[in-house]
Amino acid sequence: MIELQKQFQPKARNICSACGKDVGVSKLVVVGNVNICFECADLSKQLADKERNEVAEKEIQQMANDLSTGDAGLIDMGMGTARAHAERLYKAGYRKVE
């Protein structure tokens, strides 16, 4: 009886640590004691990309505000032009260090 139970239990190395599905060794990313299936890895990347995009949008908007016209603006330009410059600066790798 015990031998029969062992035969039908999934192997621990085939189980995704996130969703608990038995996906097989070929569809797992193994890091230390953690197994992540490709579906969970893709979902994790989508969530991280969404968060990064939200952070980028806030930083670009703040840079555009700093560049735009007005008493507090650094350069005399409209918001549309300031936003275009801010996007270029952000994509070039500029990040404000606090």
Side-chain angles (χ1 to χ4, degrees), residues 45-58:
K45 183 179 180 330
Q46 289 172 3
L47 294 172
D49 288 346
K50 180 181 175 190
E51 182 67 27
R52 284 186 192 108
N53 288 338
E54 289 172 4
V55 168
E57 181 58 36
K58 288 178 186 176

Side-chain angles (χ1 to χ4, degrees), residues 9-22:
Q9 291 181 353
K11 296 178 183 175
R13 69 177 189 267
N14 296 340
I15 304 295
C16 175
S17 300
C19 67
K21 293 179 185 174
D22 183 5

Side-chain angles (χ1 to χ4, degrees), residues 12 14-21 28-29 31 33-37 40:
N14 296 340
I15 304 295
C16 175
S17 300
C19 67
K21 293 179 185 174
L28 282 176
V29 177
V31 180
N33 292 334
V34 178
N35 303 332
I36 304 293
C37 71
C40 290

Side-chain angles (χ1 to χ4, degrees), residues 6-7 12 15 19-20 22-24 26-27 32 39 43 58 63 65-66 70 74-76 80 87 90 93 98:
K6 287 182 183 179
Q7 183 181 4
I15 304 295
C19 67
D22 183 5
V23 295
S26 64
K27 295 182 181 179
E39 288 180 28
L43 178 60
K58 288 178 186 176
M63 288 169 50
N65 291 340
D66 291 344
L74 301 174
I75 303 171
D76 187 18
E87 286 178 359
Y90 191 86
E98 295 189 33

